[in-house]
């Protein structure tokens, strides 16, 4: 795994009327992944986009689509997102009674599987899942909305999960999502994160700023 921090802009902060262009713009600006926030108005108090939009956006970038599902139930939609072109599919263990089955389902479609931990969810939740997953996503805000403030208690959790990942000896990505700015990015990275989701901080200032915003988040 390269040491460079990956930046995954959340298209939640993009101009929804011009989503294809926005995806092309962040791709050209040097992002690593495209983070897609899927919300159902039930698991989280907001509604965003579904598989049809993922499918429509797919031709606009060759970069990995990092699909963050904030929906319950989750299993019945996994194939739709896999078919739509998701590369990484992450879900919250609270979204269904059988998270391990959901991991197996995601992998059955040849996709990378991620577990998302809400701010209150302990790292221990990963004990019997970590050997089977490709990514851990630590929420540093409560899921549902962009533009919230980073919850610092999550830094300890990131440190703990980094140790768990090292013990496995496997290449598991450790991603952080919510309130990432040029102030909080270095904290998350020092705690052990290797991938940062950033909505507000990527899209601020409009298209001409995207490349500089992404570089700044990487600490360049
Ligand atoms: C929140 C989403 C995040 C959010 C991040 O539920 O999962 O991806 O869009 O937004 P910022 O970077 O603005 O905190
Ligand atoms: Zn997200």
């Amino acid at each position: 795994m390269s040491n460079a921090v990956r930046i995954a802009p959340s298209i939640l902060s993009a101009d929804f009327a011009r989503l294809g262009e926005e995806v092309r713009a962040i791709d050209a600006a040097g992002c690593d992944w495209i983070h897609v926030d899927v919300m159902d108005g039930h698991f989280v108090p907001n509604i965003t986009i579904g598989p049809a939009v993922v499918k429509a956006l797919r031709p606009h970038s060759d970069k990995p689509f990092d699909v963050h599902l904030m929906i319950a139930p989750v299993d019945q939609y996994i194939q739709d997102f896999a078919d739509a072109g998701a590369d990484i599919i992450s879900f919250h263990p609270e979204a269904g009674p059988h998270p391990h089955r959901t991991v197996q389902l995601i992998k059955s479609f040849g996709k990378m599987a991620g577990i998302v931990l809400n701010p209150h969810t302990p790292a221990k939740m990963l004990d019997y899942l970590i050997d089977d997953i490709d990514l851990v996503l630590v929420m540093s805000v409560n899921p549902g909305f962009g533009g919230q403030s980073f919850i610092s208690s999550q830094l300890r959790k990131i440190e703990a999960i980094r140790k768990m990942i090292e013990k496995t000896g496997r290449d598991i990505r450790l991603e952080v999502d919510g309130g990432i700015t040029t102030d909080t990015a270095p904290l998350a990275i020092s705690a052990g994160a290797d991938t940062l989701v950033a909505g507000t901080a990527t899209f601020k200032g409009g298209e001409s700023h995207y490349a500089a915003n992404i570089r700044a988040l990487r600490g360049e």
Side-chain angles (χ1 to χ4, degrees):
M1 190 177 80
S2 115
N3 286 329
V5 174
R6 291 186 195 80
I7 304 296
S10 163
I11 59 169
L12 189 58
S13 297
D15 177 351
F16 270 31
R18 299 170 45 253
L19 267 186
E21 286 165 57
E22 291 276 67
V23 165
R24 289 202 302 277
I26 51 174
D27 180 322
C31 76
D32 296 281
W33 293 352
I34 312 286
H35 186 84
V36 182
D37 285 309
V38 178
M39 306 186 188
D40 66 354
H42 164 73
F43 184 71
V44 289
N46 193 6
I47 301 177
T48 56
I49 63 179
V53 176
V54 173
K55 188 174 178 192
L57 291 175
R58 190 60 277 190
H60 292 271
S61 173
D62 290 330
K63 293 188 176 167
F65 274 25
D66 174 31
V67 175
H68 174 190
L69 299 179
M70 288 161 272
I71 62 175
V74 63
D75 287 7
Q76 67 213 61
Y77 298 103
I78 298 293
Q79 179 160 18
D80 292 344
F81 285 99
D83 290 347
D87 298 284
I88 305 150
I89 301 178
S90 302
F91 68 98
H92 293 245
E94 293 87 355
H98 304 293
H100 192 276
R101 174 176 288 148
T102 307
V103 168
Q104 289 176 314
L105 185 61
I106 295 169
K107 299 195 83 151
S108 75
F109 297 111
K111 307 299 180 182
M112 288 169 65
I115 294 286
V116 193
L117 300 183
N118 275 330
H120 79 282
T121 308
K124 203 170 167 39
M125 170 65 82
L126 297 168
D127 279 358
Y128 296 96
L129 291 167
I130 197 153
D131 288 329
D132 296 293
I133 59 177
D134 304 290
L135 175 141
V136 178
L137 174 51
V138 173
M139 291 307 301
S140 39
V141 297
N142 283 294
F145 302 96
Q148 304 181 75
S149 299
F150 188 87
I151 300 171
S152 314
S153 60
Q154 301 309 299
L155 292 169
R156 279 187 285 128
K157 195 194 289 181
I158 297 165
E159 286 170 9
I161 295 169
R162 172 51 65 195
K163 287 190 188 127
M164 292 171 81
I165 290 174
E166 275 166 14
K167 267 195 203 152
T168 69
R170 294 177 56 242
D171 184 12
I172 301 170
R173 280 66 157 181
L174 179 46
E175 183 175 36
V176 180
D177 185 0
I180 292 291
T181 64
T182 48
D183 291 329
T184 57
L187 305 176
I189 294 165
S190 322
D194 55 49
T195 306
L196 305 177
V197 176
T200 308
T202 299
F203 287 94
K204 71 174 179 206
E207 196 173 325
S208 61
H209 294 260
Y210 296 169
N213 290 345
I214 289 170
R215 279 197 304 272
L217 291 169
R218 282 207 186 91
E220 292 168 5

